Amino acid sequence: MTNPRLILSIFALLLLQLAFWQWGLSYEQLLTLSGYLAINFMSFTMLLATRPRWLEVPLGGLDKMYQLHKWTGILAVIFALSHWLIEMADDVLKALFGKDRSLREADFTGLLAALQEVAEDFGEPGLYLLLALVTITLLKWFPYRYWRYLHRLMPLIYLALATHALLLAPLSWWSQPTGWLMVLFMLGGVVAAIQSLTGLIGQSRRWQGIIQVVRQVSQNTIEVVCDMGKNWPGHKAGQFALVTFDAAEGAHPFTLSSADKRDGILHFQIKALGDYTRTLSQQLKNGRAVSIEGPYGCFNPAKGRAKAAQVWIAGGIGITPFLAAMESRLVNVDKKYPAVNLYYCTDLASNDPTVAQLNSLVERLPEITLQIYESQLGQWLTADKLTIHTAKVDIWFCGPQGLAATLRSGLQHHTSSICFYQERFEFR
């Protein structure tokens, strides 16, 4: 199911840029429009990479911000490629649409002329580098720990292409809203690039602590308990953090699996799903330093729509935000909470220690009804098995994308007003 907020954000960005454009039809119009859109989308992509707080809530969380970051980056490459193709076809396009001399680049002298020539020469190789890095990112050819070093080239490429755009833009733009908007975007992009190159991204939300406990919860899941001390700002149930156990590997997103008790103690349940997480049970030791950035995320089951029935669905390790939400109810007993139907999908309940934890929590939370589906017993959760008897239903989902797609598809034609909340940890 398409993310409507993503489509609206992209449409709004495109509309904003076109609203400031001086329309016409000529070879120069096509060339400058494609370049204008390319550098603006590239600038906004750089800005999103800094994880700005003021955009997290409007965009629906850091995961949605990175989704937008991905698509603005793709659009930047598309428009940059269009810009290059238009320049390659200049003779044909000039014959078809004519020329507009007012949109020619500024005619500098001296040092600026030399810089302009260098900036023009870098345009084509800069595009090739940009295409290569974006392709590698989308196809995921490299493990994360190597890819993140490659991705650090992006701010340098951006600064070079921004210089190209600045020195080759029509001189008339600097007295028009078109140029003003481009400069505004580029200022944000340049600041973001500098933050990236100097390692300042997320610094104000980065906290140092130690690993207090590492315990094997099941054959492929560990629980890591971190002591962040009194500086930890607190978190809401359902949020996650970017956790760095190894500086060479970098940060990875993990959901906070415990409620905030204002003591700086954070719990993470980590399943061995990839090359990195499979090694953590051997690497992590009590007393080891840890760096945690956050908290992030807007996945908050406590904040549903008014008078909407609550349905929580978890698949495997996706139970972690709901463990935190249930624990939060026990900690904050003075609040009133709506009833919840909780569906937990696992391989086999008898081999899953989380089931005992869930049963213990549900015993103390009578407003929560738990249903367990075991795939090894042929039990599969589908949309028709969900308890939906009210006009408004909020469904909070955390689990495999395949299960989410199946449920979304089955709910498409349901007569109730359904909101399906889901976070996606796809940061590249």
Side-chain angles (χ1 to χ4, degrees):
M1 187 178 289
T2 306
N3 179 358
R5 198 179 307 215
L6 173 67
I7 295 173
L8 279 173
S9 299
I10 291 173
F11 182 74
L13 277 171
L14 186 59
L15 193 63
L16 173 66
Q17 295 172 75
L18 295 179
F20 285 85
W21 183 253
Q22 306 293 317
W23 290 96
L25 184 60
S26 65
Y27 161 72
E28 284 81 6
Q29 275 277 341
L30 296 173
L31 184 68
T32 53
L33 176 60
S34 57
Y36 166 76
L37 292 173
I39 196 63
N40 285 347
F41 273 114
M42 210 178 302
S43 299
F44 197 74
T45 303
M46 289 300 304
L47 177 65
L48 291 173
T50 65
R51 306 190 276 275
R53 291 191 190 199
W54 55 276
L55 277 177
E56 190 174 358
V57 172
L59 291 178
L62 186 62
D63 62 313
K64 310 298 188 303
M65 194 185 298
Y66 270 97
Q67 205 176 9
L68 181 59
H69 168 84
K70 169 186 171 180
W71 282 103
T72 54
I74 290 171
L75 286 171
V77 170
I78 290 171
F79 286 120
L81 186 59
S82 301
H83 182 73
W84 177 75
L85 290 172
I86 289 167
E87 189 170 23
M88 292 299 100
D90 58 342
D91 292 337
V92 175
L93 294 173
K94 285 175 183 177
L96 285 172
F97 303 116
K99 297 187 289 184
D100 183 351
R101 298 187 65 83
S102 68
L103 291 176
R104 291 175 62 85
E105 66 263 20
D107 188 14
F108 294 120
T109 58
L111 179 60
L112 283 177
L115 289 173
Q116 189 181 50
E117 187 175 342
V118 172
E120 186 168 13
D121 289 341
F122 187 79
E124 190 169 333
L127 172 63
Y128 296 154
L129 286 171
L130 185 65
L131 276 170
L133 284 176
V134 170
T135 301
I136 289 170
T137 298
L138 293 177
L139 296 181
K140 301 179 182 178
W141 286 343
F142 289 88
Y144 175 81
R145 67 181 304 163
Y146 302 123
W147 166 83
R148 75 188 193 94
Y149 287 109
L150 273 177
H151 205 61
R152 286 182 180 176
L153 293 173
M154 201 64 81
L156 294 172
I157 295 171
Y158 168 77
L159 290 173
L161 292 175
T163 304
H164 172 93
L166 190 67
L167 293 175
L168 295 173
L171 193 60
S172 61
W173 278 12
W174 308 126
S175 60
Q176 297 173 357
T178 303
W180 304 339
L181 181 67
M182 189 175 81
V183 167
L184 185 64
F185 271 102
M186 287 173 65
L187 281 173
V190 168
V191 170
I194 293 170
Q195 281 186 280
S196 178
L197 291 170
T198 54
L200 294 177
I201 293 177
Q203 187 182 53
S204 64
R205 303 176 78 171
R206 203 174 298 148
W207 317 94
Q208 307 304 318
I210 61 167
I211 296 175
Q212 194 177 69
V213 177
V214 181
R215 65 171 68 97
Q216 196 77 37
V217 176
S218 67
Q219 186 177 359
N220 58 3
T221 303
I222 60 170
E223 182 178 33
V224 182
V225 183
C226 302
D227 185 354
M228 306 308 295
K230 295 181 180 180
N231 290 329
W232 178 250
H235 63 274
K236 297 175 183 175
Q239 288 192 300
F240 65 93
L242 302 179
V243 183
T244 302
F245 295 120
D246 177 2
E249 174 66 28
H252 285 257
F254 297 116
T255 299
L256 292 148
S257 60
S258 60
D260 181 40
K261 301 183 182 71
R262 300 177 183 85
D263 56 2
I265 303 298
L266 309 183
H267 293 243
F268 300 94
Q269 288 197 14
I270 303 171
K271 188 173 182 178
L273 295 173
D275 294 338
Y276 172 64
T277 49
R278 273 194 287 268
T279 65
L280 288 180
S281 59
Q282 289 80 41
Q283 289 184 7
L284 301 185
K285 305 295 180 185
N286 298 352
R288 180 170 173 170
V290 62
S291 176
I292 296 181
E293 182 187 326
Y296 288 106
C298 298
F299 187 87
N300 186 357
K303 278 195 173 181
R305 294 177 297 169
K307 299 182 180 179
Q310 292 285 307
V311 174
W312 298 355
I313 303 172
I317 198 64
I319 193 62
T320 50
F322 302 112
L323 292 175
M326 286 189 280
E327 192 175 298
S328 180
R329 290 189 175 205
L330 293 173
V331 171
N332 301 290
V333 292
D334 54 322
K335 295 182 181 179
K336 290 184 178 180
Y337 299 98
V340 173
N341 284 304
L342 170 59
Y343 299 84
Y344 178 50
C345 303
T346 184
D347 290 332
L348 194 65
S350 59
N351 292 340
D352 187 347
T354 305
V355 172
Q357 185 180 1
L358 283 172
N359 285 327
S360 174
L361 288 166
V362 168
E363 282 180 11
R364 290 177 285 167
L365 296 168
E367 75 276 15
I368 296 180
T369 302
L370 173 65
Q371 295 185 47
I372 299 173
Y373 285 78
E374 303 172 76
S375 59
Q376 288 191 21
L377 300 182
Q379 300 171 358
W380 304 96
L381 179 62
T382 54
D384 59 290
K385 294 175 182 175
L386 300 176
T387 303
I388 300 177
H389 300 308
T390 57
K392 289 168 62 177
V393 180
D394 286 344
I395 296 178
W396 298 85
F397 177 91
C398 189
Q401 183 54 35
L403 176 57
T406 299
L407 293 172
R408 284 178 180 271
S409 177
L411 292 167
Q412 277 184 342
H413 304 294
H414 203 284
T415 55
S416 296
S417 170
I418 296 175
C419 276
F420 197 103
Y421 301 92
Q422 179 189 7
E423 281 192 326
R424 302 176 189 230
F425 290 102
E426 295 179 10
F427 286 2
R428 64 163 171 159

